Amino acid sequence: MTQLGTLEELPQSYRDALTERNLVPLWPAMRSVLPYKVPTRDTSVTKWDYQSLRPLLMQAGELTPIEKAERRVLILANPGHGLENIQATPSIYLGMQLILPGETAPNHRHTPSAVRVIVEGEGAFTTVDGEPCKMERGDLILTPAGKWHEHTHEGDGPIVWLDVLDLPLIYRLNGSWAIEGELQNSDKVRDKSYSDYSAAGVVPNINLTRGSDNTPQLRYPWSKTRACLVEMAADHSDGLLSISYVNPETGRSIFPSIGFGAIMLRPGETQTLPKRTTPVIFHVLEGEGSMAVEGHPSTDGTPQGFVEKDTLSAPGYTHITLTNLSSSEPLFLMTADESPLHEYLGIF
């Protein structure tokens, strides 16, 4: 590999002349922007421990009323990207959001697309363009780009969910903005999305075509997804058990920018995932296990344990091995990644 010239080798007068004219020489930075064989991977192996995160989130509920927060969220920032950049991966934002009984996170809409994964609590619902979506543990609630949405809690105790947005992507495209609105009125008892699509929305990870328009389904109940994985396990004694959340009308990804899925590991099982270009987020829905990542400077490949409600990140171009540490109970994980975007760009 040829050793390219450095910036320091250029005369200072020449460098000053370039700077005055908003010019930058490419060759000193060539290896950093176009490295050989493996790209720069800022996403580091990270675990957000819910047991230690939760008290800080509850304290936020004491310190900041919803009127002063609009959205009471602690951002899960990946240190590889810098905490100030609010990135879990290059284009995915994660946050743990808290709403207390009797509170409403006010109605607004914005250009980034969002999914809410319910972590704990009951008695809350999200209204999306007039459709009330019940929020139960493990459910995916969608608020696609441009749709009005508000969150209301009528139950007892706190409710917490994991926000997953394509905010870093939209922000860096200078396309991120929001509009506030009046509270929504709805006479619907339940979300139309559930009644229309309750028997659809998840398919095995086989021959999927991604990158479609957003799905019309707004709520993906965990009970349906879990039952699908359990039924798959009954038919297959080995092999990776995984599904993708898809648009029920097209079979494509629910968002063009982020792909969502779920994985089940049988009791005591270990599975190495297919090596892929995209980083991946894991959220533990049920069970306990470990994750080992090989092929990245942020880890030496030592397995990292996790339990229910923890959230983890792993970079792309690595070997990811998941193990179910229970000998009697299955392990269930929700996944989020950039595969629809990678496929659209032709780099997947």
Side-chain angles (χ1 to χ4, degrees), residues 49-316:
D49 173 14
Y50 188 71
Q51 185 175 2
S52 63
L53 180 158
R54 187 182 188 277
L56 296 172
L57 188 58
M58 296 303 142
Q59 188 175 3
E62 299 171 0
L63 296 172
T64 307
I66 195 70
E67 295 78 16
K68 288 191 174 183
E70 187 171 339
R71 296 300 193 264
R72 191 190 291 114
V73 178
L74 293 182
I75 299 168
L76 279 56
N78 190 292
H81 293 282
L83 300 185
E84 71 281 1
N85 291 319
I86 66 172
Q87 294 169 274
T89 75
S91 65
I92 296 176
Y93 157 103
L94 298 178
M96 281 289 179
Q97 183 164 171
L98 167 68
I99 292 191
L100 298 173
E103 289 185 336
T104 294
N107 186 33
H108 70 187
R109 60 176 178 161
H110 45 63
T111 47
S113 295
V115 159
R116 328 291 175 178
V117 183
I118 315 308
V119 177
E120 70 165 276
E122 56 185 20
F125 59 93
T126 292
T127 303
V128 185
D129 274 0
E131 298 287 346
C133 298
K134 190 176 181 181
M135 306 176 85
E136 296 183 330
R137 171 79 179 120
D139 289 358
L140 264 67
I141 310 295
L142 276 59
T143 56
K147 287 190 176 290
W148 292 105
H149 58 279
E150 63 192 56
H151 312 292
T152 304
H153 190 13
E154 297 179 344
D156 299 321
I159 187 162
V160 177
W161 62 82
L162 177 68
D163 288 323
V164 187
L165 284 76
D166 56 7
L167 176 60
L169 172 67
I170 305 302
Y171 176 76
R172 280 161 180 79
L173 292 174
N174 289 177
S176 181
W177 51 272
I179 300 175
E180 295 182 352
E182 299 296 325
L183 293 181
Q184 300 180 59
N185 294 316
S186 175
D187 57 2
K188 299 180 178 66
V189 177
R190 64 188 295 187
D191 53 292
K192 184 175 184 293
S193 162
Y194 181 87
S195 57
D196 285 356
Y197 295 105
S198 60
V202 294
V203 297
N205 266 335
I206 301 173
N207 298 327
L208 290 180
T209 302
R210 302 177 188 267
S212 70
D213 293 333
N214 295 331
T215 175
Q217 186 171 351
L218 297 175
R219 178 179 175 232
Y220 290 72
W222 169 238
S223 59
K224 294 285 184 180
T225 308
R226 190 185 193 282
C228 175
L229 288 164
V230 170
E231 191 168 337
M232 289 171 62
D235 292 334
H236 303 281
S237 59
D238 56 16
L240 181 63
L241 299 169
S242 67
I243 60 90
S244 282
Y245 290 91
V246 300
N247 182 328
E249 294 184 349
T250 66
R252 298 178 180 175
S253 173
I254 59 177
F255 288 153
S257 52
I258 308 177
F260 293 88
I263 294 173
M264 172 182 167
L265 266 66
R266 306 167 185 86
E269 183 178 38
T270 294
Q271 288 283 348
T272 298
L273 305 184
K275 190 176 183 181
R276 303 187 309 162
T277 58
T278 173
V280 62
I281 301 299
F282 299 99
H283 178 70
V284 188
L285 293 170
E286 296 181 33
E288 59 177 333
S290 69
M291 178 181 75
V293 180
E294 297 181 350
H296 191 266
S298 67
T299 178
D300 60 4
T302 301
Q304 181 166 203
F306 56 76
V307 297
E308 185 173 300
K309 301 178 183 176
D310 287 352
T311 305
L312 304 97
S313 67

